[in-house]
Amino acid sequence: MNLHRRDFLRATAATAAALALPRIASARARPHIVVVGGGFGGATTAKYLRMWSEGAVDVSLIERETAFVSCPMSNLVIGGLKKMADITLDYERLRSNWGVRVITDEALGVEPGRRSVRTARHGEIAGDRLVLAPGVAFESARIEGLAGNEERIPHAWKAGPQTAILRAQLEAMPDGGVFAMTIPRAPYRCPPGPYERACVVAHYLSTTKPRSKLLVLDANEGIIAKKALFERAFARYGTMIEYRPNSTLLAVDAATCEAEFEFERVRADVLNVIPPMRAGELATRSGLALINDAWAEVDWLAFGARGMPGVHVIGDAVFPAPGMPKSGHMANQHAKVVAAAILNDLAGLPPNPTPVVMNTCYSFVDDRAAMHVASVHQYDAAKAQLLPVPGAGGLSEEASVAEGRTALKWAYHIWADTLE
Amino acid sequence: MAAEGGYTRTAGAALAQRSIVLRPHGRSIEAIRTMKNRLLASAFVLAGAVAPAQAADPHLARNLAATCANCHGTGGRSVYEPLVGRPREKLLSMLADFRSGEHEATIMHQIVRGYTDEQLELIATWFSEQR
Ligand SMILES: Cc1cc2nc3c(=O)[nH]c(=O)nc-3n(C[C@H](O)[C@H](O)[C@H](O)COP(=O)(O)OP(=O)(O)OC[C@H]3O[C@@H](n4cnc5c(N)ncnc54)[C@H](O)[C@@H]3O)c2cc1C
């Protein structure tokens, strides 16, 4: 059953690591890679660096939290279908199976010249290469009245205490109450996520508080992912879900639980504001080159940060290539490209000139049925970008219970591939 | 919410097993080769390296196979949908059937179309050689 442990033992018993990476052995005994952020991107990078190097490189993973709480499936917790414990994992197997040095600390910034990361409690940690996977930061300050009131008006867009708060608010809501959620303009983390949340919240309300109302106030011109499928899913809840596009949130009032838009003011019993996002604070603190002053600029062969040799950025924090979603699946795929590129580089080889990444995102529409969107992205040398392959990927024809099961298996697999 | 040591597998397994009422094209090979060679050549010129240009990355098959891990487990070692150690021909014929639609699927028919035949062969060979 413990497949990964077996894998690791096999790997360490294999031919001497020096054979696989001759340059490393001669240049210095043990290269050290420092990864910041133990989410889907960073944790996968740490594991694959250890696995693919057969233990020949040391890996430190700096993560501020002691637990890994999965955003994927966290909407099910909000809808009352799962518990926090079901989506809460830890870093133990990264340590025991793969020998990753997991450091619980806050990274304060990068010193690109010294190739090191400044931390709150462990001083400066230097590496031969740095990989930054800080996820997203929430721009609460762009919505008047929101900053400092995130417990009263939770986003629950980073799974953890916020998820539990929103669930508790929904449970406390009276029958006949109003649950209002706001969606920021794209790009944001997990394009179909807000619409999935609307569905599972509506499912909960329809079974327990059927006189309630769910307002979905979207800054975009329309549903931005799986549109036709979500329109059908919303319709199944009759008049309970009211979807309003072109609704840009301007201000909130935490005392009265009101939200102000250009043309209307909404009062809610539960107000779930998903704020605009940008690359995690670490990107700004480290002086990374940003596109639109928000997302890190990288090359698509090695995810190298522009203008910072030896520093790589992956996951939600990067400015996406065309058609590339900000997803856990995609962050996990970025991780494998960057791990391979770093190990090549340490061995004196160029990065793989033909990387491929792929994505699937499942969304639940009720307590059992889900639907997917999938894509495969190949490197286009002329455009120097990872681009979706035309004619590949696509959507479910409709949400189904069979895909609901697949969605749960997907979570099981990606958690294991990332953390075990 | 605090996770105890050794919680990981339990959380994942529990989610997949109980729950929610549940049981659990493209470019021509030639074009890709040319692209590869061009890229490699320019990389070596830039780096001023003397190493001879290679046809492809030495870890190409491993890297491609790793794109499958999110649903088939690290190294294809999923307990549900394992790929590890399965015969190459069997894997290739399944992939071909997904592509043609002969083998009905919820998602694989869409994913398989994103890979070239050469890439699928590398992936199938890699999994078949894993133990
Ligand atoms: C409700 C919801 C549902 C979703 N559903 C899906 C889904 O079904 N499928 C899917 O593929 N994706 C889904 N996503 C998206 C997915 O969660 C993200 O795309 C993914 O988490 C991105 O991975 P990442 O590694 O870039 O960032 P994260 O997973 O956010 O990881 C970043 C990590 O870095 C740490 N960190 C940040 N800054 C510092 C610092 N300075 N010092 C130390 N540590 C730091 C954070 O604590 C965090 O652990 C969903 C998201 C949400 C919100």
Side-chain angles (χ1 to χ4, degrees), chain A residues 113-147:
Chain A
R114 296 201 288 277
R115 259 184 218 175
S116 65
V117 179
R118 278 181 292 112
T119 66
R121 293 192 311 276
H122 292 78
E124 210 170 304
I125 301 176
D128 297 279
R129 302 286 184 278
L130 310 180
V131 181
L132 312 181
V136 296
F138 299 100
E139 300 188 281
S140 300
R142 281 175 56 187
I143 294 159
E144 201 190 314
L146 183 59

mmCIF file of all heavy atoms in Angstrom, chain A residues 113-147:
data_model
loop_
_atom_site.group_PDB
_atom_site.id
_atom_site.type_symbol
_atom_site.label_atom_id
_atom_site.label_comp_id
_atom_site.label_asym_id
_atom_site.label_seq_id
_atom_site.Cartn_x
_atom_site.Cartn_y
_atom_site.Cartn_z
ATOM 1 N N GLY A 113 21.076 38.205 -5.663
ATOM 2 C CA GLY A 113 22.520 38.188 -5.815
ATOM 3 C C GLY A 113 23.159 37.042 -5.052
ATOM 4 O O GLY A 113 24.094 36.403 -5.526
ATOM 5 N N ARG A 114 22.625 36.763 -3.875
ATOM 6 C CA ARG A 114 23.192 35.685 -3.052
ATOM 7 C C ARG A 114 22.416 34.380 -3.223
ATOM 8 O O ARG A 114 22.702 33.395 -2.560
ATOM 9 C CB ARG A 114 23.159 36.102 -1.572
ATOM 10 C CG ARG A 114 24.042 37.308 -1.261
ATOM 11 C CD ARG A 114 24.395 37.377 0.211
ATOM 12 N NE ARG A 114 23.277 37.771 1.057
ATOM 13 C CZ ARG A 114 22.919 39.044 1.265
ATOM 14 N NH1 ARG A 114 23.588 40.022 0.675
ATOM 15 N NH2 ARG A 114 21.906 39.336 2.055
ATOM 16 N N ARG A 115 21.430 34.402 -4.104
ATOM 17 C CA ARG A 115 20.555 33.248 -4.297
ATOM 18 C C ARG A 115 20.082 32.688 -2.971
ATOM 19 O O ARG A 115 20.251 31.505 -2.664
ATOM 20 C CB ARG A 115 21.267 32.169 -5.097
ATOM 21 C CG ARG A 115 20.791 32.215 -6.528
ATOM 22 C CD ARG A 115 21.339 31.156 -7.378
ATOM 23 N NE ARG A 115 21.583 31.765 -8.683
ATOM 24 C CZ ARG A 115 22.156 31.160 -9.682
ATOM 25 N NH1 ARG A 115 22.553 29.938 -9.563
ATOM 26 N NH2 ARG A 115 22.322 31.787 -10.811
ATOM 27 N N SER A 116 19.493 33.566 -2.181
ATOM 28 C CA SER A 116 19.028 33.094 -0.880
ATOM 29 C C SER A 116 17.653 33.667 -0.572
ATOM 30 O O SER A 116 17.189 34.603 -1.224
ATOM 31 C CB SER A 116 20.030 33.501 0.207
ATOM 32 O OG SER A 116 20.056 34.904 0.291
ATOM 33 N N VAL A 117 17.036 33.061 0.426
ATOM 34 C CA VAL A 117 15.710 33.481 0.868
ATOM 35 C C VAL A 117 15.838 33.950 2.310
ATOM 36 O O VAL A 117 16.372 33.230 3.160
ATOM 37 C CB VAL A 117 14.709 32.298 0.791
ATOM 38 C CG1 VAL A 117 13.337 32.730 1.284
ATOM 39 C CG2 VAL A 117 14.618 31.756 -0.630
ATOM 40 N N ARG A 118 15.378 35.168 2.573
ATOM 41 C CA ARG A 118 15.360 35.649 3.952
ATOM 42 C C ARG A 118 14.110 35.128 4.636
ATOM 43 O O ARG A 118 13.019 35.181 4.065
ATOM 44 C CB ARG A 118 15.348 37.179 3.971
ATOM 45 C CG ARG A 118 16.731 37.815 3.796
ATOM 46 C CD ARG A 118 16.659 39.333 3.838
ATOM 47 N NE ARG A 118 15.965 39.870 2.670
ATOM 48 C CZ ARG A 118 14.777 40.471 2.705
ATOM 49 N NH1 ARG A 118 14.150 40.653 3.852
ATOM 50 N NH2 ARG A 118 14.227 40.915 1.591
ATOM 51 N N THR A 119 14.263 34.597 5.847
ATOM 52 C CA THR A 119 13.100 34.063 6.550
ATOM 53 C C THR A 119 12.937 34.766 7.890
ATOM 54 O O THR A 119 13.856 35.419 8.382
ATOM 55 C CB THR A 119 13.251 32.545 6.820
ATOM 56 O OG1 THR A 119 14.329 32.343 7.749
ATOM 57 C CG2 THR A 119 13.543 31.777 5.550
ATOM 58 N N ALA A 120 11.756 34.590 8.487
ATOM 59 C CA ALA A 120 11.471 35.258 9.760
ATOM 60 C C ALA A 120 12.275 34.646 10.905
ATOM 61 O O ALA A 120 12.770 35.364 11.761
ATOM 62 C CB ALA A 120 9.971 35.178 10.061
ATOM 63 N N ARG A 121 12.426 33.331 10.919
ATOM 64 C CA ARG A 121 13.039 32.688 12.087
ATOM 65 C C ARG A 121 14.274 31.859 11.786
ATOM 66 O O ARG A 121 14.988 31.468 12.699
ATOM 67 C CB ARG A 121 11.999 31.798 12.792
ATOM 68 C CG ARG A 121 10.859 32.577 13.427
ATOM 69 C CD ARG A 121 10.026 31.692 14.346
ATOM 70 N NE ARG A 121 9.652 30.455 13.687
ATOM 71 C CZ ARG A 121 8.596 30.326 12.879
ATOM 72 N NH1 ARG A 121 7.823 31.368 12.650
ATOM 73 N NH2 ARG A 121 8.311 29.171 12.313
ATOM 74 N N HIS A 122 14.526 31.562 10.520
ATOM 75 C CA HIS A 122 15.678 30.713 10.181
ATOM 76 C C HIS A 122 16.773 31.488 9.458
ATOM 77 O O HIS A 122 17.618 30.890 8.784
ATOM 78 C CB HIS A 122 15.235 29.515 9.338
ATOM 79 C CG HIS A 122 14.378 28.525 10.076
ATOM 80 N ND1 HIS A 122 13.031 28.741 10.316
ATOM 81 C CD2 HIS A 122 14.671 27.329 10.648
ATOM 82 C CE1 HIS A 122 12.538 27.714 10.993
ATOM 83 N NE2 HIS A 122 13.504 26.844 11.206
ATOM 84 N N GLY A 123 16.736 32.799 9.578
ATOM 85 C CA GLY A 123 17.774 33.589 8.934
ATOM 86 C C GLY A 123 17.704 33.483 7.421
ATOM 87 O O GLY A 123 16.629 33.307 6.853
ATOM 88 N N GLU A 124 18.875 33.585 6.800
ATOM 89 C CA GLU A 124 18.920 33.554 5.342
ATOM 90 C C GLU A 124 19.249 32.133 4.890
ATOM 91 O O GLU A 124 20.216 31.541 5.378
ATOM 92 C CB GLU A 124 20.006 34.536 4.866
ATOM 93 C CG GLU A 124 19.717 35.136 3.531
ATOM 94 C CD GLU A 124 20.682 36.284 3.205
ATOM 95 O OE1 GLU A 124 20.758 37.234 4.008
ATOM 96 O OE2 GLU A 124 21.332 36.208 2.158
ATOM 97 N N ILE A 125 18.451 31.586 3.995
ATOM 98 C CA ILE A 125 18.675 30.214 3.529
ATOM 99 C C ILE A 125 19.115 30.288 2.072
ATOM 100 O O ILE A 125 18.358 30.749 1.215
ATOM 101 C CB ILE A 125 17.398 29.365 3.683
ATOM 102 C CG1 ILE A 125 16.968 29.341 5.161
ATOM 103 C CG2 ILE A 125 17.629 27.940 3.162
ATOM 104 C CD1 ILE A 125 15.673 28.608 5.426
ATOM 105 N N ALA A 126 20.341 29.849 1.807
ATOM 106 C CA ALA A 126 20.896 29.959 0.455
ATOM 107 C C ALA A 126 20.746 28.649 -0.294
ATOM 108 O O ALA A 126 20.755 27.570 0.298
ATOM 109 C CB ALA A 126 22.370 30.344 0.534
ATOM 110 N N GLY A 127 20.595 28.757 -1.609
ATOM 111 C CA GLY A 127 20.502 27.556 -2.436
ATOM 112 C C GLY A 127 21.200 27.767 -3.756
ATOM 113 O O GLY A 127 21.558 28.896 -4.103
ATOM 114 N N ASP A 128 21.420 26.683 -4.505
ATOM 115 C CA ASP A 128 21.991 26.822 -5.843
ATOM 116 C C ASP A 128 20.929 27.317 -6.820
ATOM 117 O O ASP A 128 21.245 27.984 -7.801
ATOM 118 C CB ASP A 128 22.544 25.470 -6.302
ATOM 119 C CG ASP A 128 23.677 25.020 -5.407
ATOM 120 O OD1 ASP A 128 24.790 25.498 -5.605
ATOM 121 O OD2 ASP A 128 23.422 24.226 -4.474
ATOM 122 N N ARG A 129 19.698 26.953 -6.563
ATOM 123 C CA ARG A 129 18.575 27.465 -7.332
ATOM 124 C C ARG A 129 17.432 27.733 -6.354
ATOM 125 O O ARG A 129 17.310 27.022 -5.344
ATOM 126 C CB ARG A 129 18.071 26.445 -8.367
ATOM 127 C CG ARG A 129 19.084 25.976 -9.366
ATOM 128 C CD ARG A 129 19.405 27.043 -10.420
ATOM 129 N NE ARG A 129 20.322 26.500 -11.408
ATOM 130 C CZ ARG A 129 21.638 26.423 -11.228
ATOM 131 N NH1 ARG A 129 22.188 26.840 -10.099
ATOM 132 N NH2 ARG A 129 22.401 25.914 -12.170
ATOM 133 N N LEU A 130 16.590 28.718 -6.681
ATOM 134 C CA LEU A 130 15.410 29.007 -5.860
ATOM 135 C C LEU A 130 14.164 28.792 -6.703
ATOM 136 O O LEU A 130 14.130 29.186 -7.874
ATOM 137 C CB LEU A 130 15.423 30.457 -5.365
ATOM 138 C CG LEU A 130 16.708 30.979 -4.699
ATOM 139 C CD1 LEU A 130 16.511 32.442 -4.286
ATOM 140 C CD2 LEU A 130 17.075 30.124 -3.488
ATOM 141 N N VAL A 131 13.160 28.174 -6.111
ATOM 142 C CA VAL A 131 11.874 28.024 -6.791
ATOM 143 C C VAL A 131 10.813 28.679 -5.912
ATOM 144 O O VAL A 131 10.650 28.304 -4.744
ATOM 145 C CB VAL A 131 11.506 26.539 -7.028
ATOM 146 C CG1 VAL A 131 10.170 26.434 -7.751
ATOM 147 C CG2 VAL A 131 12.606 25.826 -7.811
ATOM 148 N N LEU A 132 10.106 29.656 -6.452
ATOM 149 C CA LEU A 132 9.090 30.371 -5.684
ATOM 150 C C LEU A 132 7.701 29.955 -6.157
ATOM 151 O O LEU A 132 7.387 30.050 -7.342
ATOM 152 C CB LEU A 132 9.257 31.889 -5.856
ATOM 153 C CG LEU A 132 10.684 32.434 -5.668
ATOM 154 C CD1 LEU A 132 10.702 33.952 -5.846
ATOM 155 C CD2 LEU A 132 11.246 32.042 -4.295
ATOM 156 N N ALA A 133 6.904 29.469 -5.234
ATOM 157 C CA ALA A 133 5.536 29.050 -5.559
ATOM 158 C C ALA A 133 4.598 29.592 -4.490
ATOM 159 O O ALA A 133 3.986 28.834 -3.741
ATOM 160 C CB ALA A 133 5.461 27.528 -5.631
ATOM 161 N N PRO A 134 4.484 30.938 -4.406
ATOM 162 C CA PRO A 134 3.752 31.533 -3.279
ATOM 163 C C PRO A 134 2.236 31.630 -3.482
ATOM 164 O O PRO A 134 1.544 32.142 -2.605
ATOM 165 C CB PRO A 134 4.366 32.934 -3.191
ATOM 166 C CG PRO A 134 4.722 33.274 -4.609
ATOM 167 C CD PRO A 134 5.105 31.958 -5.266
ATOM 168 N N GLY A 135 1.721 31.125 -4.626
ATOM 169 C CA GLY A 135 0.279 31.236 -4.831
ATOM 170 C C GLY A 135 -0.145 32.683 -5.043
ATOM 171 O O GLY A 135 0.610 33.479 -5.598
ATOM 172 N N VAL A 136 -1.346 33.005 -4.575
ATOM 173 C CA VAL A 136 -1.890 34.339 -4.831
ATOM 174 C C VAL A 136 -1.967 35.171 -3.549
ATOM 175 O O VAL A 136 -2.005 34.636 -2.444
ATOM 176 C CB VAL A 136 -3.313 34.269 -5.442
ATOM 177 C CG1 VAL A 136 -3.285 33.595 -6.806
ATOM 178 C CG2 VAL A 136 -4.289 33.567 -4.513
ATOM 179 N N ALA A 137 -2.013 36.489 -3.748
ATOM 180 C CA ALA A 137 -2.337 37.420 -2.667
ATOM 181 C C ALA A 137 -3.694 38.027 -2.995
ATOM 182 O O ALA A 137 -4.049 38.174 -4.166
ATOM 183 C CB ALA A 137 -1.274 38.514 -2.567
ATOM 184 N N PHE A 138 -4.452 38.347 -1.959
ATOM 185 C CA PHE A 138 -5.779 38.937 -2.165
ATOM 186 C C PHE A 138 -5.698 40.441 -2.010
ATOM 187 O O PHE A 138 -5.164 40.940 -1.018
ATOM 188 C CB PHE A 138 -6.770 38.328 -1.173
ATOM 189 C CG PHE A 138 -6.914 36.846 -1.357
ATOM 190 C CD1 PHE A 138 -6.249 35.957 -0.522
ATOM 191 C CD2 PHE A 138 -7.668 36.345 -2.410
ATOM 192 C CE1 PHE A 138 -6.352 34.584 -0.717
ATOM 193 C CE2 PHE A 138 -7.774 34.975 -2.616
ATOM 194 C CZ PHE A 138 -7.114 34.094 -1.771
ATOM 195 N N GLU A 139 -6.237 41.141 -2.999
ATOM 196 C CA GLU A 139 -6.149 42.598 -2.989
ATOM 197 C C GLU A 139 -7.380 43.213 -2.322
ATOM 198 O O GLU A 139 -8.160 43.921 -2.954
ATOM 199 C CB GLU A 139 -5.990 43.111 -4.418
ATOM 200 C CG GLU A 139 -4.730 42.575 -5.082
ATOM 201 C CD GLU A 139 -4.478 43.251 -6.416
ATOM 202 O OE1 GLU A 139 -5.133 42.873 -7.392
ATOM 203 O OE2 GLU A 139 -3.634 44.164 -6.450
ATOM 204 N N SER A 140 -7.497 42.920 -1.040
ATOM 205 C CA SER A 140 -8.655 43.431 -0.290
ATOM 206 C C SER A 140 -8.713 44.947 -0.330
ATOM 207 O O SER A 140 -9.803 45.538 -0.334
ATOM 208 C CB SER A 140 -8.572 42.972 1.167
ATOM 209 O OG SER A 140 -8.568 41.570 1.233
ATOM 210 N N ALA A 141 -7.537 45.576 -0.374
ATOM 211 C CA ALA A 141 -7.501 47.042 -0.313
ATOM 212 C C ALA A 141 -8.192 47.680 -1.516
ATOM 213 O O ALA A 141 -8.565 48.850 -1.463
ATOM 214 C CB ALA A 141 -6.050 47.516 -0.224
ATOM 215 N N ARG A 142 -8.362 46.910 -2.590
ATOM 216 C CA ARG A 142 -9.026 47.499 -3.764
ATOM 217 C C ARG A 142 -10.537 47.591 -3.590
ATOM 218 O O ARG A 142 -11.232 48.159 -4.433
ATOM 219 C CB ARG A 142 -8.667 46.711 -5.023
ATOM 220 C CG ARG A 142 -7.272 47.106 -5.529
ATOM 221 C CD ARG A 142 -6.812 46.281 -6.694
ATOM 222 N NE ARG A 142 -7.734 46.308 -7.820
ATOM 223 C CZ ARG A 142 -7.585 45.540 -8.908
ATOM 224 N NH1 ARG A 142 -6.565 44.713 -8.987
ATOM 225 N NH2 ARG A 142 -8.449 45.611 -9.894
ATOM 226 N N ILE A 143 -11.052 46.989 -2.530
ATOM 227 C CA ILE A 143 -12.483 47.098 -2.265
ATOM 228 C C ILE A 143 -12.655 47.843 -0.948
ATOM 229 O O ILE A 143 -12.243 47.366 0.113
ATOM 230 C CB ILE A 143 -13.136 45.707 -2.213
ATOM 231 C CG1 ILE A 143 -13.055 45.087 -3.616
ATOM 232 C CG2 ILE A 143 -14.573 45.790 -1.742
ATOM 233 C CD1 ILE A 143 -13.184 43.613 -3.644
ATOM 234 N N GLU A 144 -13.259 48.992 -1.036
ATOM 235 C CA GLU A 144 -13.395 49.854 0.138
ATOM 236 C C GLU A 144 -14.104 49.112 1.268
ATOM 237 O O GLU A 144 -15.137 48.472 1.042
ATOM 238 C CB GLU A 144 -14.204 51.093 -0.274
ATOM 239 C CG GLU A 144 -14.007 52.286 0.632
ATOM 240 C CD GLU A 144 -15.021 53.374 0.295
ATOM 241 O OE1 GLU A 144 -15.209 53.665 -0.897
ATOM 242 O OE2 GLU A 144 -15.621 53.897 1.246
ATOM 243 N N GLY A 145 -13.538 49.179 2.439
ATOM 244 C CA GLY A 145 -14.191 48.586 3.604
ATOM 245 C C GLY A 145 -13.878 47.113 3.829
ATOM 246 O O GLY A 145 -14.309 46.530 4.827
ATOM 247 N N LEU A 146 -13.141 46.495 2.917
ATOM 248 C CA LEU A 146 -12.903 45.049 3.058
ATOM 249 C C LEU A 146 -11.675 44.720 3.915
ATOM 250 O O LEU A 146 -11.738 43.820 4.758
ATOM 251 C CB LEU A 146 -12.763 44.397 1.666
ATOM 252 C CG LEU A 146 -12.583 42.874 1.667
ATOM 253 C CD1 LEU A 146 -13.760 42.172 2.347
ATOM 254 C CD2 LEU A 146 -12.435 42.338 0.237
ATOM 255 N N ALA A 147 -10.590 45.470 3.694
ATOM 256 C CA ALA A 147 -9.342 45.139 4.398
ATOM 257 C C ALA A 147 -9.571 45.139 5.913
ATOM 258 O O ALA A 147 -10.146 46.079 6.463
ATOM 259 C CB ALA A 147 -8.244 46.126 4.015
#
